[in-house]
């Protein structure tokens, strides 16, 4: 089974390209995916290259921008090519099968105007505050 699910932020604006001949839309993005646990309470992220094809590539280029939150599911693919210097290069990337815009809007618009998911501005991640929750007595739980 080869299945990957990622949620992360775009590291730069997506660039839409078309393949020669068939004219299929393709965009390559890099997602910055936060690591759940880190050393010394320092935030760490992995930067994952993602290839998006077809209509999803066009929509991603139109509605997503640097810093926006995006979900991707797909598969890991490896490939190799010969570089200009004659050396062999190896690439590991995620080929998207589904994309989800968790924060979206045209890159020309103000990033505060999004209709998607709006995370906590304090950027606390997994350690978010639960100050607005009401404590209950264990005797009130029916199980």
């Amino acid at each position: 089974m080869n299945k990957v699910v990622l949620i992360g932020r775009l590291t730069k604006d997506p660039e839409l390209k078309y393949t020669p001949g068939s004219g299929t839309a393709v965009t390559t993005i890099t997602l910055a995916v936060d690591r759940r646990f880190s050393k010394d309470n320092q935030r760490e992220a992995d930067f994952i290259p993602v290839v998006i094809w077809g209509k999803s590539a066009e929509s991603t280029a139109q509605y997503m921008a640097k810093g926006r939150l995006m979900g991707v599911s797909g598969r890991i693919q490896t490939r190799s090519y010969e570089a200009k210097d004659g050396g062999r290069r190896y690439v590991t990337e995620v080929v998207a099968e589904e994309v989800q815009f968790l924060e979206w809007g045209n890159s020309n618009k103000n990033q505060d105007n999004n209709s998607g998911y709006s995370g906590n501005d304090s950027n606390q991640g997994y350690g978010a505050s639960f100050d607005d929750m009401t404590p209950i007595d264990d005797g009130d739980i029916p199980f």
Side-chain angles (χ1 to χ4, degrees):
M1 180 183 310
N2 183 353
K3 186 76 172 174
V4 176
V5 178
L6 301 169
I7 296 177
R9 296 193 178 276
L10 274 70
T11 60
K12 65 179 185 174
D13 289 345
E15 293 180 28
L16 182 63
K17 296 180 182 179
Y18 294 91
T19 59
S22 66
T24 304
V26 61
T27 187
T28 300
I29 61 170
T30 301
L31 283 182
V33 179
D34 287 335
R35 292 184 182 175
R36 184 167 183 174
F37 301 104
S38 63
K39 296 180 266 182
D40 304 325
N41 291 329
Q42 296 292 323
R43 291 182 62 123
E44 293 181 354
D46 293 303
F47 298 89
I48 313 294
V50 179
V51 179
I52 305 168
W53 292 93
K55 189 68 175 167
S56 294
E58 293 173 342
S59 297
T60 299
Q62 182 176 2
Y63 294 111
M64 296 301 290
K66 178 181 177 177
R68 298 286 171 93
L69 193 64
M70 182 174 181
V72 173
S73 69
R75 61 186 168 81
I76 292 180
Q77 175 177 290
T78 58
R79 62 184 171 90
S80 64
Y81 63 94
E82 189 171 322
K84 292 179 182 177
D85 65 1
R88 182 74 81 209
R89 301 286 189 264
Y90 297 90
V91 178
T92 301
E93 58 201 1
V94 173
V95 177
E97 295 168 359
E98 288 182 76
V99 297
Q100 181 73 44
F101 305 156
L102 303 178
E103 290 179 344
W104 60 281
N106 192 315
S107 60
N108 295 332
K109 294 180 183 177
N110 183 345
Q111 287 195 8
D112 292 336
N113 297 332
N114 66 60
S115 300
Y117 168 81
S118 179
N120 187 346
D121 290 337
S122 64
N123 223 0
Q124 294 179 3
Y126 291 101
S129 172
F130 297 105
D131 294 335
D132 62 340
M133 295 183 77
T134 305
I136 61 169
D137 181 18
D138 287 346
D140 293 341
I141 299 175
F143 51 88

